[in-house]
Amino acid sequence: MPDSSSYDLVVIGAGPAGEKGAAAAAYFGKRVAIVERMPYPGGAGINTGTVPSKTLRETALYFSGLRQRGLYGIDYSLKEGLTVAEFLFRERQVVENERLIVQANLERHGIDLIQGEGSLLDSHTVRVRRPDGTDLDLATEIVLLATGSSPFRPADVPFDDTVIYDSDSILRIKRLPARLAVVGGGVIGVEYASIFSALGVTVTVVDGRERLLSFIDREIALRLQERLGTLGVHFRFSSTVSGIDKGGGVVRLTLSEGETVEVDTALFAAGRQSNVAGLGLERVGVATKERGLIEVNEKYQTTVPN
């Protein structure tokens, strides 16, 4: 039989939401545990998304001299063959420091951090599959699902993390490409388009809509588009990718209107999906929507109240 422990709250996921929810409950005297499948806390915010991409952005601005060009009229050029790993040297320091901050916060509040893969055995039991293969059952009054999200990978895109990447794996690219296609003109796509263009990469953004960032003010989006255009970013709006051919280190994207875009690397920024696979939501009756979004009410309760 697996070991068993009892808590007032068990949180699945040690990202920013899980950490803050756990700390709030512990502050009011509740016994709390966080289950995290990675060997360190922080979630996508620290480890794969926000901190790495923002550090890469600031490093790109620094090394490219982009902020200084207009002021001093100096053309900065980067040495050939630079790797993303070189640009992310600072990122590793930032991430490690942020992990220590989260760890200290959990310890200060007396929260148990349990490494393993969490799933719902029933509405009051979280089963943790630990790294050594053993199970630990946690009895709890309340469960907080804070498993975050990951890049959505369309089934028809042949991701290989060598020449075709998503927004997480692009941070592990070995060398900066000469030409990059970014498929998706949302927040993530635009961010990486700006970063790589600042590093001297020729960037083409492909999006099925008529402009960037359709959810924000049109005038602001157009100003951003104009600014990116001055950096050499090319745009293909009202276009979708109808075919992908890769070979010889080259990626050829056939667009819906028949045009072909040839690049060295393609980044598909197709949005994100909830990390709910393997949680056992269907076993306890937690309803989900498209891309794994969990249905909640105005109090963020799922269809199972606790």
Side-chain angles (χ1 to χ4, degrees):
M1 293 290 291
D3 300 325
S4 181
S5 297
S6 181
Y7 292 90
D8 298 304
L9 172 69
V10 170
V11 181
I12 305 179
E19 176 205 354
K20 299 304 185 293
Y27 177 81
F28 288 102
K30 302 300 183 180
R31 189 176 184 217
V32 182
I34 292 186
V35 178
E36 172 57 52
R37 62 183 176 183
M38 299 298 289
Y40 31 72
I46 291 177
N47 299 297
T48 61
T50 307
V51 169
S53 68
K54 300 307 176 288
T55 307
L56 179 60
R57 173 189 178 275
E58 293 302 311
T59 308
L61 286 172
Y62 177 81
F63 279 109
S64 68
L66 191 63
R67 285 190 175 127
Q68 292 78 28
R69 289 178 191 172
L71 184 61
Y72 298 109
I74 299 173
D75 182 21
Y76 287 75
S77 59
L78 299 170
K79 71 177 184 179
E80 293 185 3
L82 277 174
T83 67
V84 170
E86 289 177 286
F87 283 107
L88 288 179
F89 173 78
R90 172 63 178 163
E91 177 259 352
R92 290 190 291 274
Q93 296 175 310
V94 174
V95 166
E96 185 58 37
N97 184 63
E98 290 298 317
R99 288 174 181 169
L100 292 174
I101 291 174
V102 173
Q103 186 74 47
N105 189 39
L106 298 180
E107 292 174 357
R108 183 169 63 253
H109 285 88
I111 298 166
D112 293 336
L113 179 59
I114 302 169
Q115 186 185 356
E117 189 90 19
S119 63
L120 298 173
L121 199 59
D122 56 50
S123 60
H124 289 280
T125 309
V126 173
R127 171 160 290 180
V128 183
R129 175 57 56 89
R130 293 181 286 197
D132 62 4
T134 61
D135 289 334
L136 173 65
D137 284 356
L138 308 177
T140 181
E141 180 182 352
I142 302 291
V143 176
L144 172 59
L145 301 173
T147 51
S149 63
S150 54
F152 176 67
R153 289 193 163 200
D156 58 344
V157 177
F159 291 96
D160 59 9
D161 298 335
T162 301
V163 293
I164 300 181
Y165 295 85
D166 65 28
S167 57
D168 279 1
S169 62
I170 192 69
L171 290 167
R172 299 190 295 274
I173 191 171
K174 299 298 183 184
R175 297 277 174 183
L176 291 176
R179 302 166 300 173
L180 172 70
V182 177
V183 182
V187 172
I188 296 173
V190 170
E191 179 179 39
Y192 279 109
S194 66
I195 289 172
F196 280 96
S197 64
L199 295 173
V201 176
T202 300
V203 178
T204 301
V205 175
V206 179
D207 193 89
R209 293 157 292 195
E210 63 175 12
R211 65 176 175 91
L212 299 176
L213 303 174
S214 58
F215 61 92
I216 68 170
D217 182 272
R218 184 180 184 86
E219 186 176 356
I220 294 173
L222 291 177
R223 284 297 299 272
L224 173 61
Q225 181 180 324
E226 290 171 4
R227 179 59 179 154
L228 290 174
T230 65
L231 295 177
V233 178
H234 307 286
F235 299 97
R236 301 289 186 274
F237 292 116
S238 301
S239 294
T240 57
V241 176
S242 58
I244 304 171
D245 179 45
K246 58 179 181 175
V250 174
V251 181
R252 296 176 184 84
L253 304 178
T254 302
L255 305 186
S256 51
E257 66 272 22
E259 181 184 358
T260 298
V261 175
E262 186 173 294
V263 293
D264 306 296
T265 302
L267 165 61
F268 280 79
R272 299 181 72 84
Q273 61 185 356
S274 297
N275 295 330
V276 295
L279 280 179
L281 301 184
E282 65 288 341
R283 184 161 51 239
V284 297
V286 174
T288 60
K289 298 184 287 187
E290 186 180 2
R291 295 199 183 188
L293 291 175
I294 297 175
E295 292 187 15
V296 295
N297 61 19
E298 69 278 2
K299 297 180 180 180
Y300 285 85
Q301 289 174 302
T302 73
T303 48
V304 180
N306 72 308

